[in-house]
Every structure is written in structure tokens, then in C-alpha cells.
Amino acid sequence: APTTTSSSTPPTTAPTTTTDVTALAEGSGCTPGSTTLPDGRWFGLVDSADATSVSFDLACWFTGDPAAVAAAQDGEESPPPNDYYIRNTNPMLRNVPVAALAEVAWMPNPGDPSTVEVVGYPEWLANRSARSFQPPVWLNIEGGEIISIEEQYIP
């Protein structure tokens, strides 16, 4: 009877690694692990605002190499134009209280970053609705309240 021999070597597959790019988001990141934002610096969009609180849509802000990786993972142009990328995949809105003396670094003309002015939160609130474009912001939270907001210039 004929004998058959075979060398059976299992196929090898190269290990694949996926970079958890969310850990490279700037500020305090974009995955706080709860519905309440802890103290820190958080990036996102103001959905609505009133005299005592901001409804905030948390997002991820990336620049440089992390921006290129995040954009590629999302199927977007990589590296992204202007070396920044915004990822906003969670629709959750967070209601964040505003401290009584909170200040805002805002751009009366969001297309011109040289127009930045620091004003009290009530003045910003009164003036922001007149603009057609609302830039994303950075919330600085201490003691569970917004102590300052900085509008982010988007080229």
C-alpha cells in the first residue's frame, strides 16, 4: 500500500494590533467613563446653554500623528487637512453646571483667531447666539463646575 506523508505546518498569521487612539486625544481625553465629566479639560460642542449650565457634546480632538491614525481608522482623509481631526461618535449630551464667575475666551468672529476676547460667561451667553457658526470649545472643569470655556479656532 502506498504511503503518504505530509508535513502539516499550521499557517502563521501576523499578530494585528489596533492602536487605541482615543487614549491620545488631547486635553483630558474623550472617554471619561461616566455621564458626569470629572475635573479636567474637555473638548466638544455646546449643544445649548443657559444662565446656569451647558449641554455639552463631548468629542475627541487629535493633532499630529494621532490625528492621522484616528482619521484613517474612521475612513477619512489621512493625514487630515490642517493637522487636526475631530471624532464625535457618542451622541450623549452632558449637562454641566457653570460656576458663578466663569469666564470665556471667545472669538466674536470665529473665522479670525486674532479676535479672541475674555469675557464673563453671561456676556458670552448673550452674544453667542448672534453668530451663525458656533466653534467647538474646551471646558475647564473644577469642583464639578465649568470655571472657564475656550473656543477652538477651526481653520
Side-chain angles (χ1 to χ4, degrees), residues 2 16 18-20 31 34 42 51 70 72 77 84 94 104-105 108-109 119 123 125 128 140 150-151 155:
T16 57
T18 303
T19 303
D20 180 12
T31 53
S34 72
W42 301 96
E77 181 179 351
Y84 76 89
R94 292 169 168 87
V104 181
N109 175 1
V119 298
E123 183 179 342
L125 189 59
R128 76 180 287 273
N140 295 299
E150 301 163 42
E151 292 187 338

Side-chain angles (χ1 to χ4, degrees), residues 99-121:
L101 299 176
E103 293 186 325
V104 181
W106 82 301
M107 294 174 281
N109 175 1
D112 182 358
S114 70
T115 66
V116 172
E117 298 175 15
V118 177
V119 298
Y121 177 79

